[in-house]
Amino acid sequence: MILNTLSEVKKFSENQINKFKEILLSAGEVQEKTFEGLIAKNPKIVIIDNLENPKGIGALKIPYDNHRDKVFRLSKSTVDPNLFKYELGWVVSLEKGNGNKIMALLVDNNHRIYATVRKDNTTMIYLLKKNKFSQEGVPYLSDRGTYELLLFIR
């Protein structure tokens, strides 16, 4: 069963992946031009409660090395980015209270994970800290907007 579990994207149907993409695009969580390449890397994703009309989604993305390295460099982190295979992201809760469920499913493993979060996203920062992530480095300006990002690692 792929519902409410962390599963490789190749286990989902094309329609389910398209719904996942639609939610991400409408939430502003991904750029359409990068989505296909990241999905092709077979990330692990979570779809909550209903495959056709999810109540929440999230992923352990397999980032491009240059993106991961840039995040650690811009945040002035002293931690080696090569230690991290996965980037937690694409977390969208479409119903109040699903953030905890999504995060629990995403971090229930032994992988080293990093995440970036907007500095003003207090809910996500709370969830990251609750799930044993710690802030690393300093805030840095996103290249997707006029907001600052924070790096968290686990």
Side-chain angles (χ1 to χ4, degrees):
M1 173 172 222
I2 57 175
L3 190 61
N4 295 332
T5 61
L6 186 62
S7 301
E8 292 179 330
V9 80
K10 68 182 177 185
K11 295 182 179 179
F12 292 85
S13 73
E14 185 176 343
N15 285 342
Q16 292 160 347
I17 294 168
N18 286 336
K19 183 65 177 177
F20 189 86
K21 178 182 176 181
E22 177 186 313
I23 292 168
L24 291 174
L25 289 171
S26 69
E29 289 295 319
V30 69
Q31 295 177 340
E32 190 161 8
K33 66 182 180 182
T34 59
F35 181 80
E36 297 304 327
L38 289 169
I39 283 295
K41 295 179 79 145
N42 197 30
K44 296 179 179 186
I45 66 173
V46 170
I47 297 180
I48 301 295
D49 289 345
N50 184 321
L51 293 172
E52 304 309 320
N53 193 17
K55 295 181 180 177
I57 61 173
L60 289 181
K61 303 181 287 183
I62 301 170
Y64 294 108
D65 290 346
N66 61 344
H67 168 75
R68 182 197 59 217
D69 295 350
K70 179 178 159 186
V71 165
F72 279 73
R73 184 180 70 253
L74 290 175
S75 68
K76 298 186 169 132
S77 171
T78 58
V79 177
D80 181 0
N82 292 307
L83 297 173
F84 299 86
K85 178 180 179 181
Y86 293 105
E87 177 183 10
L88 184 143
W90 295 346
V91 176
V92 180
S93 177
L94 299 169
E95 194 172 273
K96 188 171 175 66
N98 280 324
N100 285 310
K101 186 186 292 188
I102 296 165
M103 288 295 289
L105 292 167
L106 291 173
V107 301
D108 186 25
N109 60 66
N110 292 323
H111 299 296
R112 301 242 10 219
I113 305 168
Y114 79 94
T116 59
V117 61
R118 292 179 189 199
K119 187 177 174 181
D120 63 355
N121 189 342
T122 55
T123 301
M124 190 63 183
I125 292 169
Y126 168 79
L127 288 171
L128 288 166
K129 288 180 177 179
K130 180 179 177 183
N131 286 280
K132 298 183 173 56
F133 281 79
S134 57
Q135 186 179 339
E136 173 64 24
V138 299
Y140 65 96
L141 190 61
S142 168
D143 57 6
R144 290 179 51 193
T146 57
Y147 52 87
E148 287 187 308
L149 293 172
L150 301 173
L151 170 63
F152 282 82
I153 61 172
R154 179 175 187 263

